[in-house]
Amino acid sequence: MPVDEILKELGAIKNRALRSIAMVRGIKGLESARVRYLGKKGQLTSLMRVVGGLPPDARPLAGQTANSVKGAILQAIAEKETELKAAEQESRIVEERVDITMPGADYQIGRKHPLTLVTEEILRVFCSMGFGVAEGPDIESDYNNFEALNIPKHHPARDLHDTFYVSKDVVLRTHTSPVQIRTMLATPPPVAVVCPGRVYRCDADATHSPMFHQVEGLMVDKAISFSDLKGILEVFVHEMFGPDTPFRFRPHYFPFTEPSCELDILFHGEGEPNGEGVWLEVLGAGMVHPAVFENVGYDPQKVSGFAFGLGVERLAMIKYGISDIRLFFENDLRFLQQF
Ligand code: FA5
């Protein structure tokens, strides 16, 4: 290839390369322009090989020209690279700009479940009267749940409890009364405790749930009488629901108390007939049966006491005017956010 032509071609390569580098829009495009002209098989590299093969007298001029074209292309690439990087940084600054004058992201603060609120309120009232708090396990022995409470195997009262059996001698506790047994086995009299917790029964409708909450109460000392029980429960109802709340005691039967009663509160809720209210049973109670004292090693000749077991859901239904117990367990935020 004659030198003239080589020089002309070098000039043309330079023009093309500078033009296409000027038009490049990104780093990738710049790299492919570099490969196109300066890569192993690039246009300038290939022509430089031809220059290498020229006769010695023609080589210096062609070689110098080729080197200066290469220098110009390299410089253009370097300048373009600086320009592209600056533009990229600029656009990232714009994209990632934080507007500190915008309002903050909204987040929801959790709150206590209505049953937790009511349980805390119940404990507050009894603790203010001198009761302590005791707890027991949800999975309980048949002995503590039934036998020690004067409900032997095959006793008809067992049918009332619709028990979930874990094994022959282990149950999901059907009430919090086994915590009475645990407390008396662990502590000599006098005792005054309230025992909150979950209980389980195979039973479900608008006022019955298969898992619900009770608070057990137990007071044992010398000469505790039924009037003490009535007085304590009256204070409780009036503290929880206000001094004018109508309530009534009704005779009842429990194998572990004698005499026994139930306490009803007049409930005004959605859907109740005539607007007169309905009596809702909220707790069972009575004087601890001598057989129970004997089972825990207390002497029924020396001590007496009362016990009660109240339903937390029932009290929450009355307090908040809720007619369906299932609302407590559906986890509907529209319901829960009202408390
Ligand atoms: C008992 O569980 C006795 N252990 C209470 C007791 C304790 C009596 C100490 C004497 C001495 P009962 O099964 O009636 O009794 O339940 C007590 C309260 O739990 C009921 O008054 C009611 O408020 C609530 N309750 C009972 N079953 C359910 C249920 N399936 N769903 C929601 N609450 C219930």
Side-chain angles (χ1 to χ4, degrees), residues 149 160-161 174-178 180 199 201-205 207-217 252-254 256-257 260-263 280-288 306-315 317 325 329:
L149 287 160
L160 299 173
H161 280 238
T174 56
H175 51 176
T176 41
S177 298
Q180 286 184 33
V199 301
R201 291 184 199 174
C202 199
D203 189 4
D205 60 35
T207 54
H208 295 83
S209 161
M211 187 283 295
F212 59 101
H213 298 77
Q214 286 188 339
V215 174
E216 190 78 8
H252 197 65
Y253 167 78
F254 293 105
F256 34 92
T257 47
S260 305
C261 63
E262 284 187 327
L263 188 149
L280 198 60
E281 167 214 323
V282 296
L283 63 84
M287 301 307 290
V288 180
F306 64 75
F308 57 85
L310 54 84
V312 176
E313 283 76 3
R314 296 276 173 87
L315 292 173
M317 288 165 82
I325 197 170
F329 306 111

Side-chain angles (χ1 to χ4, degrees), residues 282-295:
V282 296
L283 63 84
M287 301 307 290
V288 180
H289 197 288
V292 175
F293 280 146
E294 274 159 17
N295 287 337

Side-chain angles (χ1 to χ4, degrees), residues 98-333:
V98 176
D99 182 353
I100 57 164
T101 66
M102 294 282 282
D106 199 14
Y107 59 91
Q108 294 195 336
I109 299 174
R111 62 186 75 205
K112 287 182 181 171
H113 191 280
L115 294 177
T116 305
L117 293 172
V118 170
T119 305
E120 286 177 355
E121 175 78 359
I122 294 166
L123 298 185
R124 187 192 63 73
V125 173
F126 284 110
C127 289
S128 76
M129 291 191 274
F131 285 77
V133 177
E135 284 181 299
D138 292 15
I139 299 173
E140 186 53 281
S141 65
D142 181 278
Y143 180 79
N144 285 343
N145 195 81
F146 292 122
E147 300 224 5
L149 287 160
N150 202 27
I151 317 175
K153 288 208 160 66
H154 312 300
H155 190 289
R158 287 203 179 204
D159 296 346
L160 299 173
H161 280 238
D162 300 313
T163 312
F164 288 113
Y165 279 88
V166 176
S167 66
K168 194 166 118 312
D169 293 318
V170 178
V171 300
L172 295 184
R173 66 178 176 191
T174 56
H175 51 176
T176 41
S177 298
V179 190
Q180 286 184 33
I181 301 300
R182 288 175 173 269
T183 305
M184 289 192 281
L185 284 173
T187 330
V191 292
V193 287
V194 278
C195 323
R198 293 191 192 96
V199 301
Y200 305 85
R201 291 184 199 174
C202 199
D203 189 4
D205 60 35
T207 54
H208 295 83
S209 161
M211 187 283 295
F212 59 101
H213 298 77
Q214 286 188 339
V215 174
E216 190 78 8
L218 173 70
M219 181 177 265
V220 183
D221 202 345
K222 291 187 191 114
I224 298 286
S225 70
F226 199 86
S227 336
D228 295 316
L229 169 64
K230 286 182 76 179
I232 293 265
L233 291 178
E234 181 174 340
V235 170
F236 167 69
V237 171
H238 288 163
E239 281 282 314
M240 275 298 280
F241 300 103
D244 302 323
T245 308
F247 69 97
R248 68 183 186 192
F249 289 100
R250 236 180 333 98
H252 197 65
Y253 167 78
F254 293 105
F256 34 92
T257 47
E258 180 59 34
S260 305
C261 63
E262 284 187 327
L263 188 149
D264 305 330
I265 293 181
L266 196 62
F267 170 65
H268 293 283
E270 230 176 83
E272 43 106 344
N274 316 326
E276 288 169 6
V278 285
W279 291 104
L280 198 60
E281 167 214 323
V282 296
L283 63 84
M287 301 307 290
V288 180
H289 197 288
V292 175
F293 280 146
E294 274 159 17
N295 287 337
V296 296
Y298 280 18
D299 183 348
Q301 301 302 324
K302 293 193 178 144
V303 292
S304 58
F306 64 75
F308 57 85
L310 54 84
V312 176
E313 283 76 3
R314 296 276 173 87
L315 292 173
M317 288 165 82
I318 294 169
K319 194 163 182 75
Y320 298 122
I322 296 162
S323 305
D324 194 328
I325 197 170
R326 291 165 289 207
L327 285 167
F328 291 120
F329 306 111
E330 282 170 356
N331 290 330
D332 186 333
L333 285 179

